[in-house]
Amino acid sequence: MSTVDPNEEKGPDTSGTPSAPSNFIREIVREDLKTGKYEGRVHTRFPPEPNGYLHLGHAKSICLNFGLAKEFGGKTNLRFDDTNPSKEETEYVESIKDNVRWLGFDWEDRIFYASDYFGQLYEWALQLIKAGKAYVDDLTAHEIRHYRGTLTEPGKESPYRNRPVDENLELFERMRKGEFADGSRVLRAKIDMASPNLNMRDPVMYRIVHAEHHRTGNKWCIYPMYDFAHGQSDSIERITHSVCTLEFEDHRPLYNWFVEQLGIYHPQQIEFDRLNLTYTLLSKRKLLTLVEERHVRGWDDPRMPTIAGIRRRGYTPEAVRNFCSAIGLSKTNGTIELGMLEHFVREDLNKRAPRVMAVLRPLKVVIDNYPEGQSEMMDAVNNPEDASAGTRKVPFSRVLYIEQDDFREDPPKQYYRLSPGREVRLRYAYFVTCTNVVKNDRGEVIEVHCTYDPASRGGNSPDGRKVKSTIHWVSAAHALDTEVRLYENLFTTEDPNKTEDGQEFTAHLNPHSLEVVSKAKLEPSLQGAPIEARYQFERLGYFCVDRDSTAEKLVFNRTVALKDTWTKIEKKAEAKPGKTITSEKKPSEFSKAPRS
RNA sequence: UGGGCCGUCGACUAAUGGUAGGUCAAGUGCCUUUGGAGCACUUUGUCUAGGUUCGAAUCCUAGCGGCCCAGCCA
């Protein structure tokens, strides 16, 4: 494989993959390659802890790590950082593998576990004890915290800090054998209790945990801490660039200290900024709470920012990858607008999603001059962005459904859709003109009557007459009943992490984040659509088939709505009550209207 | 208040001492059998104050602001 991107210095990228701007990590790698720091190797790793489902923040890291290796002809390992048996499960391991694959990345045969290295790590601990660099401490967790000092005051040395090497060796061996209770002793590195970096104040290397590990079972009852496992795992795998998020910056001196004391291969840790998205929570802990407290239907609820969730929502791996490359990489603490993510699904789905007609909130339309019992097949284009997608037939008949939003008895200014006396086009069918309406007891329009122009078949009138709008429709007799799930942001505030005193983050949960439309109508061509298939429902948005679908009834998720200029016009009018978009009629007359 | 990191259009990100550019958003126009898509155009930015320099977003100093750290979590 070539290590050089042929498009790199030739101006605009024509490969189809959007070229991401460079970033500081790429520059570091480039420089290391130039100086031969790692003999020309680039080897990264993606190291999740299998204690939950992956989310968009992980997607950023996955794209970074695999992307870097791919760009420079290197390799990426998948490594599970499974050093805390009390939180980790095989279910999570499986979902993580699945998610990485779905995103389109391949670790080939390089799947590793920190638990693979427990034996080696134990040997290294022994080595540090023998060198007088580690000791067994009998202090309680509370006492250790107390001795550690504070941000502004130095810590105090533990009374056990200067135990003889032999005693440390014996005690550590007995810890390993399971002679002591959880929490009774730890192994600590002997560094500097006065260090301004709290991580260097004799950090804990091993703790006692009598718990079953998802892979090693009960073989071990002492487990290495992150700091004692991560750098060494990178070292064993001969990782060159160990990238992680900003909060580990303060751990870098410790990362370096361990590999230096041990005298082993030294990878370099580089930190980048974590992903933040407006209206979204990207914290495994809080996402777990949402699942456990049943605020959502599971880890793959389409409202969740998990990889599983956005997949079920209908996002494509390409959209996620394009998003990750577009947001760039830096050390700034920023928050990306959710609209950016949505842009990239729309962009991708616009090119590939077949168009189809569906009516979410049906309003019955009767074409009075269309023969009863007659129906005909209209030709419809599957994807105007892609000629190779071809056409399909859609049945038309006398009784149709249109969207309730597409009819207004009192049309406001700039409203171009159907209203009494007005002619519009039914997409791929005929021009129709509204002649009258039928209302129920509450004065609501329940049926619209129209006449059609037989000469406008296909959607154009031979006399060159123009209409202001084209609306979608479904033939009532042929329609498929379907359930459609509409989603809004899970949270109502831009930063759901910010809460007032005593408030849980769940206080900002959006009560309307899920709306189930149970009586939507679909054109019949969708019969038998497979799970995960994605479509554009014309004029409405992108939708995908949910796995809750059955042979009798399809269930769709709305991935994202189409950009909606009309809603924007309406909102602007609301904001400026001066020049309103209310009725074309006089205000007094409008106020007497039966509806609202 | 100790230490670490970071401040560029509304948001994200480039410019590596030499033309402040791109994407998203917003807006205007064109086009349109999706009020979609597309096309064209437009608006807004270097945290502040000093200094070094022919020249500073970039280097230095001092302020100001933000994020992270006191788990036997990762």
Side-chain angles (χ1 to χ4, degrees), chain A residues 253-424:
Chain A
L254 183 53
Y255 181 108
N256 293 337
W257 191 87
F258 281 126
V259 293
E260 277 159 21
Q261 293 301 318
L262 259 11
I264 57 178
Y265 169 81
H266 195 158
Q268 68 176 314
Q269 174 178 308
I270 304 167
E271 309 85 11
F272 68 97
D273 62 332
R274 189 180 261 286
L275 173 67
N276 294 300
L277 265 185
T278 55
Y279 301 102
T280 308
L281 232 33
L282 294 175
S283 133
K284 272 191 197 170
R285 205 201 92 234
K286 288 178 179 171
L287 296 178
L288 212 209
T289 304
L290 293 179
V291 172
E292 285 178 339
E293 293 181 1
R294 305 200 174 241
H295 294 110
V296 294
R297 296 179 177 183
W299 284 103
D300 69 345
D301 186 299
R303 291 166 291 182
M304 290 283 272
T306 51
I307 308 288
I310 60 170
R311 175 181 181 174
R312 191 169 174 190
R313 176 83 169 248
Y315 274 72
T316 60
E318 288 80 0
V320 178
R321 279 191 254 123
N322 291 345
F323 168 73
C324 287
S325 97
I327 59 176
L329 196 70
S330 71
K331 300 182 77 150
T332 325
N333 276 301
T335 303
I336 285 145
E337 291 172 352
L338 193 56
M340 180 82 95
L341 212 216
E342 294 180 339
H343 162 80
F344 285 96
V345 229
R346 287 198 189 98
E347 182 189 62
D348 189 39
L349 258 16
N350 176 50
K351 285 179 290 186
R352 60 208 294 180
R355 317 281 125 130
V356 110
M357 291 198 283
V359 173
L360 260 30
R361 295 180 172 87
L363 174 62
K364 191 173 173 185
V365 171
V366 181
I367 314 293
D368 291 320
N369 60 338
Y370 194 88
E372 266 184 74
Q374 179 177 314
S375 72
E376 61 187 307
M377 299 303 274
M378 314 306 294
D379 287 308
V381 173
N382 287 331
N383 187 347
E385 303 292 317
D386 176 11
S388 72
T391 62
R392 67 187 186 286
K393 303 279 188 190
V394 183
F396 181 88
S397 62
R398 187 170 193 264
V399 181
L400 312 168
Y401 292 116
I402 65 166
E403 211 67 59
Q404 284 174 18
D405 281 350
D406 287 341
F407 177 81
R408 289 281 261 273
E409 196 180 11
D410 284 322
K413 273 177 191 153
Q414 297 180 72
Y415 183 89
Y416 305 143
R417 284 112 96 147
L418 198 62
S419 59
R422 188 180 289 169
E423 182 173 51
V424 300

Side-chain angles (χ1 to χ4, degrees), chain A residues 76-318:
Chain A
T76 304
N77 295 355
L78 174 60
R79 180 170 76 230
F80 290 95
D81 222 334
D82 55 351
T83 57
N84 184 359
S86 60
K87 290 187 175 176
E88 298 152 4
E89 293 173 24
T90 302
E91 177 200 343
Y92 297 132
V93 170
E94 293 310 314
S95 76
I96 289 168
K97 290 198 271 189
D98 188 53
N99 289 167
V100 175
R101 253 182 258 131
W102 179 77
L103 271 171
F105 297 104
D106 184 6
W107 56 86
E108 297 174 325
D109 57 348
R110 294 179 306 282
I111 180 164
F112 302 109
Y113 297 81
S115 54
D116 292 341
Y117 311 137
F118 283 170
Q120 174 64 262
L121 258 8
Y122 181 78
E123 293 301 319
W124 277 332
L126 256 22
Q127 182 184 330
L128 290 185
I129 293 171
K130 287 174 189 160
K133 303 282 186 183
Y135 62 97
V136 172
D137 197 340
D138 299 359
L139 254 29
T140 63
H142 180 261
E143 288 165 331
I144 286 180
R145 191 181 320 132
H146 189 248
Y147 274 73
R148 187 153 32 226
T150 68
L151 294 176
T152 51
E153 299 160 300
K156 280 187 303 183
E157 295 186 353
S158 163
Y160 302 98
R161 195 175 199 259
N162 294 311
R163 281 222 249 239
V165 168
D166 287 347
E167 190 182 333
N168 281 320
L169 247 18
E170 186 210 322
L171 252 15
F172 187 51
E173 169 66 3
R174 289 173 62 195
M175 279 169 64
R176 201 212 88 222
K177 281 183 170 161
E179 293 185 20
F180 307 122
D182 287 8
S184 59
R185 276 177 240 262
V186 291
L187 183 71
R188 291 231 252 170
K190 194 187 285 186
I191 308 180
D192 178 9
M193 289 307 291
S195 172
N197 180 348
L198 298 250
N199 293 120
M200 300 301 272
R201 318 241 266 228
D202 288 12
V204 172
M205 294 163 59
Y206 269 93
R207 76 288 214 187
I208 302 169
V209 182
H210 289 272
E212 185 165 321
H213 186 279
H214 69 105
R215 293 187 76 245
T216 59
N218 295 305
K219 181 173 178 196
W220 297 89
C221 64
I222 55 171
Y223 290 90
M225 296 289 288
Y226 165 85
D227 286 305
F228 191 65
H230 203 91
Q232 288 92 301
S233 299
D234 285 342
S235 181
I236 291 168
E237 295 175 19
R238 301 193 71 76
I239 298 303
T240 56
H241 304 270
S242 177
V243 305
C244 61
T245 43
L246 250 25
E247 68 271 25
F248 291 102
E249 258 169 340
D250 290 342
H251 293 247
R252 184 165 12 104
L254 183 53
Y255 181 108
N256 293 337
W257 191 87
F258 281 126
V259 293
E260 277 159 21
Q261 293 301 318
L262 259 11
I264 57 178
Y265 169 81
H266 195 158
Q268 68 176 314
Q269 174 178 308
I270 304 167
E271 309 85 11
F272 68 97
D273 62 332
R274 189 180 261 286
L275 173 67
N276 294 300
L277 265 185
T278 55
Y279 301 102
T280 308
L281 232 33
L282 294 175
S283 133
K284 272 191 197 170
R285 205 201 92 234
K286 288 178 179 171
L287 296 178
L288 212 209
T289 304
L290 293 179
V291 172
E292 285 178 339
E293 293 181 1
R294 305 200 174 241
H295 294 110
V296 294
R297 296 179 177 183
W299 284 103
D300 69 345
D301 186 299
R303 291 166 291 182
M304 290 283 272
T306 51
I307 308 288
I310 60 170
R311 175 181 181 174
R312 191 169 174 190
R313 176 83 169 248
Y315 274 72
T316 60
E318 288 80 0

Side-chain angles (χ1 to χ4, degrees), chain A residues 280-578:
Chain A
T280 308
L281 232 33
L282 294 175
S283 133
K284 272 191 197 170
R285 205 201 92 234
K286 288 178 179 171
L287 296 178
L288 212 209
T289 304
L290 293 179
V291 172
E292 285 178 339
E293 293 181 1
R294 305 200 174 241
H295 294 110
V296 294
R297 296 179 177 183
W299 284 103
D300 69 345
D301 186 299
R303 291 166 291 182
M304 290 283 272
T306 51
I307 308 288
I310 60 170
R311 175 181 181 174
R312 191 169 174 190
R313 176 83 169 248
Y315 274 72
T316 60
E318 288 80 0
V320 178
R321 279 191 254 123
N322 291 345
F323 168 73
C324 287
S325 97
I327 59 176
L329 196 70
S330 71
K331 300 182 77 150
T332 325
N333 276 301
T335 303
I336 285 145
E337 291 172 352
L338 193 56
M340 180 82 95
L341 212 216
E342 294 180 339
H343 162 80
F344 285 96
V345 229
R346 287 198 189 98
E347 182 189 62
D348 189 39
L349 258 16
N350 176 50
K351 285 179 290 186
R352 60 208 294 180
R355 317 281 125 130
V356 110
M357 291 198 283
V359 173
L360 260 30
R361 295 180 172 87
L363 174 62
K364 191 173 173 185
V365 171
V366 181
I367 314 293
D368 291 320
N369 60 338
Y370 194 88
E372 266 184 74
Q374 179 177 314
S375 72
E376 61 187 307
M377 299 303 274
M378 314 306 294
D379 287 308
V381 173
N382 287 331
N383 187 347
E385 303 292 317
D386 176 11
S388 72
T391 62
R392 67 187 186 286
K393 303 279 188 190
V394 183
F396 181 88
S397 62
R398 187 170 193 264
V399 181
L400 312 168
Y401 292 116
I402 65 166
E403 211 67 59
Q404 284 174 18
D405 281 350
D406 287 341
F407 177 81
R408 289 281 261 273
E409 196 180 11
D410 284 322
K413 273 177 191 153
Q414 297 180 72
Y415 183 89
Y416 305 143
R417 284 112 96 147
L418 198 62
S419 59
R422 188 180 289 169
E423 182 173 51
V424 300
R425 170 166 40 231
L426 293 178
R427 182 144 226 226
Y428 299 126
Y430 294 101
F431 281 11
V432 295
T433 304
C434 174
T435 50
N436 62 298
V437 300
V438 177
K439 295 183 185 180
N440 63 13
D441 300 344
R442 292 191 296 276
E444 298 161 345
V445 175
I446 54 166
E447 202 173 300
V448 173
H449 284 257
C450 292
T451 55
Y452 83 115
D453 173 4
S456 64
R457 189 176 198 280
N460 278 308
S461 170
D463 64 9
R465 208 159 76 236
K466 300 277 186 225
V467 287
K468 272 267 197 178
S469 96
T470 301
I471 64 176
H472 60 277
W473 53 275
V474 171
S475 166
H478 305 84
L480 263 32
D481 287 312
T482 185
E483 173 179 323
V484 178
R485 298 172 183 169
L486 305 178
Y487 303 102
E488 281 179 20
N489 298 341
L490 235 196
F491 292 92
T492 54
T493 50
E494 269 204 29
D495 182 1
N497 284 301
K498 277 215 169 67
T499 49
E500 268 100 78
D501 288 342
Q503 232 181 198
E504 294 295 320
F505 73 92
T506 49
H508 297 306
L509 241 11
N510 177 3
H512 310 295
S513 61
L514 167 65
E515 182 188 355
V516 177
V517 175
S518 55
K519 292 192 169 95
K521 302 287 183 181
L522 268 185
E523 70 168 63
S525 71
L526 247 26
Q527 182 71 261
I531 286 164
E532 275 196 357
R534 306 176 184 96
Y535 302 90
Q536 183 194 104
F537 288 0
E538 294 228 24
R539 305 209 301 131
L540 297 176
Y542 296 98
F543 294 75
C544 71
V545 180
D546 190 79
R547 60 144 202 259
D548 286 348
S549 297
T550 62
E552 296 77 46
K553 192 173 190 180
L554 286 169
V555 175
F556 283 88
N557 295 311
R558 182 173 67 192
T559 308
V560 67
L562 250 28
K563 281 201 202 156
D564 185 351
T565 314
W566 168 242
T567 300
K568 212 176 272 180
I569 293 169
E570 259 186 324
K571 273 189 189 148
K572 212 185 283 176
E574 277 170 34
K576 284 190 235 165

